Amino acid sequence: MPDMSASASLALTHLVPLAKEVDENKVTPGVLGFIVFAVMAVAVWGLMKSMSKHMRKVDFKESPDTKADSGTPVADPKG
């Protein structure tokens, strides 16, 4: 386990000077932000494509309700 802490402190020692070079007044999402945004955009595109495929299968034509036309009272489903 001592190797893990030594290598971690060595990595932090090398990263601290890099962090100081970054302009503190400029904040950007970077490559990771772009990758996350691109993955979310592809996921939304796939979901919309799937939804449109399923919506094409839906039949919106209503069949005539024979119970309502016959004059018999229809039971209220809410109680």
Side-chain angles (χ1 to χ4, degrees):
M1 287 297 193
D3 291 331
M4 290 288 284
S5 63
S7 62
S9 67
L10 181 63
L12 285 176
T13 318
H14 288 291
L15 288 177
V16 169
L18 291 175
K20 288 182 181 178
E21 293 175 9
V22 175
D23 185 12
E24 294 178 5
N25 296 324
K26 182 179 178 185
V27 179
T28 60
V31 176
L32 180 63
F34 174 74
I35 291 171
V36 169
F37 182 78
V39 167
M40 288 174 55
V42 169
V44 168
W45 176 77
L47 285 171
M48 289 182 68
K49 189 170 181 161
S50 174
M51 183 186 66
S52 67
K53 187 188 334 179
H54 285 284
M55 291 299 284
R56 275 189 237 122
K57 294 179 183 178
V58 174
D59 184 20
F60 288 106
K61 298 176 184 171
E62 290 187 26
S63 60
D65 191 8
T66 56
K67 289 182 181 178
D69 293 338
S70 64
T72 56
V74 179
D76 186 15
K78 292 182 182 176

